[in-house]
Amino acid sequence: EVQLVESGGGLVQPGGSLRLSCEASTLTFRSFWMSWVRQAPGKGLEWVANIRPDGSQRHYVDSVWGRFTISRDDARNSVSLQMTSLRAEDTAVYHCVRDWDVWGQGTTVIVSS
Amino acid sequence: QSVLTQPPSASGTPGQRVTISCSGSASNLGSNYVYWYQHLPGAAPKLLIYQNYRRPSGVPDRFSGSKSGTSASLAISGLQPDDEADYYCAAWDESLSGRQVIFGGGTKLTVL
């Protein structure tokens, strides 16, 4: 069973940066689209970004375009989300998702002064 | 940004059948698959339906999905107390902003 484990969350000031990482426990990671989905406190699920298996396509929700970058390293079975110029509204639990079906438990990002 | 519209709440009694709707547009449900998730507090979302109506292994056949045009629905039959959760639809969307994935706002299901 594929398991995804996120890390890198924490408390950061507005305007700051964080890098989230997600690692997979099996080799079935590399053939799939990988995504980041977040849930702000009291809100619903919001897709943030995804990346094609070969890395040739990356897509972002409008609100993070130009601030967040998704990348993958299939040799290490990992996907990352580099977040810059963070805003209070980026505060959320961030989940790593394989294709549509396997979700990590999430890592919490809090943007606050 | 394009949206998928779900009712904010739904309810039913044990044993009943409930349906949750998801309304979209030509740029999302009209041209792409719909996916449905169950989300319990403190847990990772669970995929219930993929590619409009297919069930992953392990998902009971009490859960079924359908899509017609720009609308989709999730049906839960034989409602159980453990079904009380938030339910989300999701789909790719092809808009002026490019390709994105969008989620519905979620439906909170209460088992009375």
Side-chain angles (χ1 to χ4, degrees):
Chain A
E1 180 183 353
V2 176
Q3 290 187 325
L4 300 175
V5 179
E6 302 94 339
S7 62
L11 174 64
V12 61
Q13 292 188 340
S17 300
L18 273 179
R19 185 179 182 88
L20 306 184
S21 295
C22 170
E23 294 191 352
S25 60
T26 75
L27 294 178
T28 58
F29 170 97
R30 62 186 63 214
S31 302
F32 296 90
W33 283 80
M34 296 298 297
S35 302
W36 288 94
V37 175
R38 67 186 179 184
Q39 185 173 32
K43 303 291 187 181
L45 299 175
E46 180 184 39
W47 171 83
V48 176
N50 62 10
I51 184 168
R52 188 182 165 125
D54 61 4
S56 64
Q57 290 183 28
R58 308 175 194 208
H59 304 282
Y60 301 91
V61 68
D62 290 351
S63 61
V64 309
W65 203 90
R67 300 188 298 122
F68 290 10
T69 302
I70 189 171
S71 60
R72 64 191 297 157
D73 183 345
D74 287 346
R76 298 178 58 187
N77 280 340
S78 69
V79 63
S80 298
L81 186 68
Q82 178 68 47
M83 305 186 296
T84 63
S85 302
L86 282 162
R87 307 166 181 168
E89 53 265 36
D90 296 318
T91 294
V93 175
Y94 285 73
H95 296 274
C96 173
V97 187
R98 185 200 77 165
D99 199 11
W100 292 93
D101 61 343
V102 181
W103 291 61
Q105 286 294 113
T107 186
T108 300
V109 172
I110 299 173
V111 184
S112 175
S113 55
Chain B
Q1 187 169 357
S2 299
V3 296
L4 297 178
T5 301
Q6 298 180 235
S9 63
S11 63
T13 57
Q16 270 192 330
R17 182 177 187 272
V18 298
T19 60
I20 297 172
S21 62
C22 176
S23 177
S25 65
S27 65
N28 41 68
L29 297 188
S31 52
N32 293 290
Y33 293 126
V34 66
Y35 298 77
W36 288 95
Y37 293 92
Q38 178 190 62
H39 192 197
L40 295 164
K46 175 185 177 182
L47 181 66
L48 290 177
I49 298 291
Y50 68 101
Q51 294 179 359
N52 300 338
Y53 63 88
R54 301 180 190 279
R55 277 188 309 275
S57 61
V59 174
D61 59 7
R62 301 188 298 107
F63 295 90
S64 61
S66 64
K67 193 188 83 164
S68 178
T70 59
S71 296
S73 62
L74 172 72
I76 309 172
S77 60
L79 199 62
Q80 298 179 1
D82 286 351
D83 296 333
E84 187 161 291
D86 294 324
Y87 292 83
Y88 295 88
C89 58
W92 276 103
D93 181 81
E94 326 278 346
S95 70
L96 293 176
S97 300
R99 286 198 93 198
Q100 299 181 349
V101 172
I102 54 174
F103 281 87
T107 298
K108 184 175 185 62
L109 175 63
T110 301
V111 181
L112 302 170

PDB file of all heavy atoms in Angstrom, chain B residues 60-73:
ATOM      1  N   PRO B  60     -17.918   0.280  -0.439  1.00  0.00           N
ATOM      2  CA  PRO B  60     -19.160  -0.510  -0.552  1.00  0.00           C
ATOM      3  C   PRO B  60     -20.022  -0.054  -1.733  1.00  0.00           C
ATOM      4  O   PRO B  60     -20.000   1.121  -2.115  1.00  0.00           O
ATOM      5  CB  PRO B  60     -19.869  -0.212   0.779  1.00  0.00           C
ATOM      6  CG  PRO B  60     -18.814   0.300   1.695  1.00  0.00           C
ATOM      7  CD  PRO B  60     -17.811   0.978   0.849  1.00  0.00           C
ATOM      8  N   ASP B  61     -20.772  -1.006  -2.281  1.00  0.00           N
ATOM      9  CA  ASP B  61     -21.625  -0.656  -3.415  1.00  0.00           C
ATOM     10  C   ASP B  61     -22.847   0.161  -2.986  1.00  0.00           C
ATOM     11  O   ASP B  61     -23.697   0.492  -3.814  1.00  0.00           O
ATOM     12  CB  ASP B  61     -22.043  -1.912  -4.187  1.00  0.00           C
ATOM     13  CG  ASP B  61     -22.799  -2.915  -3.335  1.00  0.00           C
ATOM     14  OD1 ASP B  61     -23.120  -2.598  -2.162  1.00  0.00           O
ATOM     15  OD2 ASP B  61     -23.066  -4.023  -3.828  1.00  0.00           O
ATOM     16  N   ARG B  62     -22.934   0.506  -1.707  1.00  0.00           N
ATOM     17  CA  ARG B  62     -23.971   1.446  -1.262  1.00  0.00           C
ATOM     18  C   ARG B  62     -23.718   2.839  -1.833  1.00  0.00           C
ATOM     19  O   ARG B  62     -24.623   3.663  -1.908  1.00  0.00           O
ATOM     20  CB  ARG B  62     -23.988   1.561   0.271  1.00  0.00           C
ATOM     21  CG  ARG B  62     -24.238   0.285   1.021  1.00  0.00           C
ATOM     22  CD  ARG B  62     -24.420   0.531   2.507  1.00  0.00           C
ATOM     23  NE  ARG B  62     -23.248   1.104   3.159  1.00  0.00           N
ATOM     24  CZ  ARG B  62     -23.155   2.363   3.574  1.00  0.00           C
ATOM     25  NH1 ARG B  62     -24.155   3.212   3.397  1.00  0.00           N
ATOM     26  NH2 ARG B  62     -22.044   2.787   4.175  1.00  0.00           N
ATOM     27  N   PHE B  63     -22.458   3.063  -2.216  1.00  0.00           N
ATOM     28  CA  PHE B  63     -22.079   4.346  -2.790  1.00  0.00           C
ATOM     29  C   PHE B  63     -22.071   4.220  -4.318  1.00  0.00           C
ATOM     30  O   PHE B  63     -21.445   3.318  -4.866  1.00  0.00           O
ATOM     31  CB  PHE B  63     -20.686   4.775  -2.308  1.00  0.00           C
ATOM     32  CG  PHE B  63     -20.612   5.046  -0.839  1.00  0.00           C
ATOM     33  CD1 PHE B  63     -20.288   4.028   0.060  1.00  0.00           C
ATOM     34  CD2 PHE B  63     -20.870   6.312  -0.335  1.00  0.00           C
ATOM     35  CE1 PHE B  63     -20.215   4.269   1.418  1.00  0.00           C
ATOM     36  CE2 PHE B  63     -20.803   6.564   1.024  1.00  0.00           C
ATOM     37  CZ  PHE B  63     -20.476   5.540   1.903  1.00  0.00           C
ATOM     38  N   SER B  64     -22.761   5.128  -4.989  1.00  0.00           N
ATOM     39  CA  SER B  64     -22.785   5.094  -6.448  1.00  0.00           C
ATOM     40  C   SER B  64     -22.740   6.512  -6.997  1.00  0.00           C
ATOM     41  O   SER B  64     -23.198   7.460  -6.351  1.00  0.00           O
ATOM     42  CB  SER B  64     -24.041   4.367  -6.951  1.00  0.00           C
ATOM     43  OG  SER B  64     -25.208   5.035  -6.531  1.00  0.00           O
ATOM     44  N   GLY B  65     -22.165   6.635  -8.176  1.00  0.00           N
ATOM     45  CA  GLY B  65     -22.037   7.939  -8.790  1.00  0.00           C
ATOM     46  C   GLY B  65     -22.587   7.948 -10.200  1.00  0.00           C
ATOM     47  O   GLY B  65     -22.611   6.914 -10.873  1.00  0.00           O
ATOM     48  N   SER B  66     -23.023   9.121 -10.631  1.00  0.00           N
ATOM     49  CA  SER B  66     -23.511   9.274 -11.993  1.00  0.00           C
ATOM     50  C   SER B  66     -23.220  10.687 -12.459  1.00  0.00           C
ATOM     51  O   SER B  66     -22.973  11.590 -11.660  1.00  0.00           O
ATOM     52  CB  SER B  66     -25.009   8.983 -12.070  1.00  0.00           C
ATOM     53  OG  SER B  66     -25.741   9.927 -11.310  1.00  0.00           O
ATOM     54  N   LYS B  67     -23.216  10.836 -13.771  1.00  0.00           N
ATOM     55  CA  LYS B  67     -23.001  12.155 -14.357  1.00  0.00           C
ATOM     56  C   LYS B  67     -23.812  12.266 -15.627  1.00  0.00           C
ATOM     57  O   LYS B  67     -23.914  11.321 -16.406  1.00  0.00           O
ATOM     58  CB  LYS B  67     -21.515  12.381 -14.667  1.00  0.00           C
ATOM     59  CG  LYS B  67     -21.176  13.839 -14.986  1.00  0.00           C
ATOM     60  CD  LYS B  67     -19.746  13.990 -15.464  1.00  0.00           C
ATOM     61  CE  LYS B  67     -19.643  13.692 -16.945  1.00  0.00           C
ATOM     62  NZ  LYS B  67     -18.376  14.177 -17.541  1.00  0.00           N
ATOM     63  N   SER B  68     -24.392  13.448 -15.825  1.00  0.00           N
ATOM     64  CA  SER B  68     -25.126  13.725 -17.048  1.00  0.00           C
ATOM     65  C   SER B  68     -24.893  15.179 -17.423  1.00  0.00           C
ATOM     66  O   SER B  68     -25.248  16.091 -16.662  1.00  0.00           O
ATOM     67  CB  SER B  68     -26.626  13.469 -16.858  1.00  0.00           C
ATOM     68  OG  SER B  68     -27.338  13.785 -18.035  1.00  0.00           O
ATOM     69  N   GLY B  69     -24.266  15.378 -18.547  1.00  0.00           N
ATOM     70  CA  GLY B  69     -23.984  16.737 -18.991  1.00  0.00           C
ATOM     71  C   GLY B  69     -23.069  17.459 -18.023  1.00  0.00           C
ATOM     72  O   GLY B  69     -21.945  17.022 -17.784  1.00  0.00           O
ATOM     73  N   THR B  70     -23.561  18.531 -17.459  1.00  0.00           N
ATOM     74  CA  THR B  70     -22.753  19.338 -16.545  1.00  0.00           C
ATOM     75  C   THR B  70     -23.155  19.142 -15.085  1.00  0.00           C
ATOM     76  O   THR B  70     -22.823  19.962 -14.226  1.00  0.00           O
ATOM     77  CB  THR B  70     -22.854  20.831 -16.894  1.00  0.00           C
ATOM     78  OG1 THR B  70     -24.222  21.244 -16.807  1.00  0.00           O
ATOM     79  CG2 THR B  70     -22.320  21.100 -18.298  1.00  0.00           C
ATOM     80  N   SER B  71     -23.841  18.054 -14.798  1.00  0.00           N
ATOM     81  CA  SER B  71     -24.230  17.745 -13.423  1.00  0.00           C
ATOM     82  C   SER B  71     -23.855  16.326 -13.062  1.00  0.00           C
ATOM     83  O   SER B  71     -23.842  15.438 -13.916  1.00  0.00           O
ATOM     84  CB  SER B  71     -25.747  17.928 -13.230  1.00  0.00           C
ATOM     85  OG  SER B  71     -26.118  19.271 -13.413  1.00  0.00           O
ATOM     86  N   ALA B  72     -23.560  16.138 -11.790  1.00  0.00           N
ATOM     87  CA  ALA B  72     -23.223  14.816 -11.283  1.00  0.00           C
ATOM     88  C   ALA B  72     -23.900  14.629  -9.937  1.00  0.00           C
ATOM     89  O   ALA B  72     -24.326  15.593  -9.296  1.00  0.00           O
ATOM     90  CB  ALA B  72     -21.708  14.672 -11.138  1.00  0.00           C
ATOM     91  N   SER B  73     -23.994  13.375  -9.530  1.00  0.00           N
ATOM     92  CA  SER B  73     -24.565  13.117  -8.218  1.00  0.00           C
ATOM     93  C   SER B  73     -23.938  11.885  -7.588  1.00  0.00           C
ATOM     94  O   SER B  73     -23.472  10.975  -8.280  1.00  0.00           O
ATOM     95  CB  SER B  73     -26.086  12.943  -8.306  1.00  0.00           C
ATOM     96  OG  SER B  73     -26.418  11.836  -9.096  1.00  0.00           O
TER      97      SER B  73
END
